[in-house]
Amino acid sequence: MSRTDDVERREKFWRDMSAEVGEEILHNALLRVLESEPENLKDQWLLFFASAETLYYKRFPNDSAMARLFNMGPKEQDYPVEGQRWDNLTCRRRESGGFLSRLLKTPATLELRWDDDTRFMLELDRKGEVLFQDRLDRA
């Protein structure tokens, strides 16, 4: 696969995703879940993307290429896109506080909450910083 094919595939993916949610997607980030409630999604990667009004996320089947080679059972279902309006979200950044964490440059984390029982603790990288840029409260 050429680099041009890869770029075209990514552009098509985002056009399709934008059409699915009915809004222009401004930013995206693939972020690792450190903790989640009520469902435990620890160590899974979720694709987060945002419009001006809504934060969306999408899960993907959690199996490796090697597991798919040996899987003879039914294929896992595709998960739907889920979204929450920015007004309903609380985004709190948590800096790495310990000396060792700062020395090793451990990434900051983001606590994302909505409703009373839904919570994600996410590892925050540069793309995550851009995605949540003006919506972060510091803790």
Side-chain angles (χ1 to χ4, degrees):
M1 173 182 295
S2 74
R3 186 176 185 96
T4 304
D5 291 340
D6 187 44
V7 169
E8 288 172 359
R9 222 164 64 174
R10 271 187 271 140
E11 287 173 352
K12 181 185 181 323
F13 174 82
W14 288 114
R15 276 193 312 272
D16 292 348
M17 198 60 68
S18 191
E20 182 175 337
V21 299
E23 297 183 88
E24 179 185 2
I25 296 170
L26 304 175
H27 301 287
N28 65 75
L30 185 63
L31 301 174
R32 186 168 68 104
V33 177
L34 302 173
E35 298 173 26
S36 66
E37 295 173 9
E39 186 177 357
N40 184 8
L41 300 174
K42 184 177 175 154
D43 292 328
Q44 290 192 28
W45 292 82
L46 300 180
L47 180 61
F48 287 85
F49 49 99
S51 69
E53 302 295 323
T54 309
L55 175 69
Y56 298 97
Y57 70 94
K58 181 159 177 59
R59 291 173 54 183
F60 294 93
N62 191 27
D63 59 351
S64 67
M66 188 60 79
R68 284 191 300 270
L69 277 175
F70 297 108
N71 185 6
M72 297 301 189
K75 187 177 173 172
E76 274 192 65
Q77 70 176 23
D78 191 23
Y79 294 98
V81 171
E82 298 185 44
Q84 287 290 325
R85 298 194 50 83
W86 282 112
D87 299 343
N88 298 335
L89 296 172
T90 302
C91 308
R92 183 162 288 133
R93 179 190 174 111
R94 299 190 184 274
E95 298 294 337
S96 303
F99 171 75
L100 191 56
S101 294
R102 287 192 313 262
L103 182 66
L104 298 174
K105 298 192 184 208
T106 304
T109 58
L110 169 76
E111 182 180 32
L112 182 62
R113 286 186 174 271
W114 66 91
D115 299 328
D116 290 332
D117 60 347
T118 305
R119 182 184 83 124
F120 285 114
M121 186 68 72
L122 304 168
E123 189 173 75
L124 197 59
D125 62 7
R126 289 180 196 245
K127 287 193 86 170
E129 294 268 356
V130 171
L131 179 67
F132 293 99
Q133 56 192 342
D134 297 327
R135 304 180 188 278
L136 293 174
D137 297 329
R138 299 210 180 250

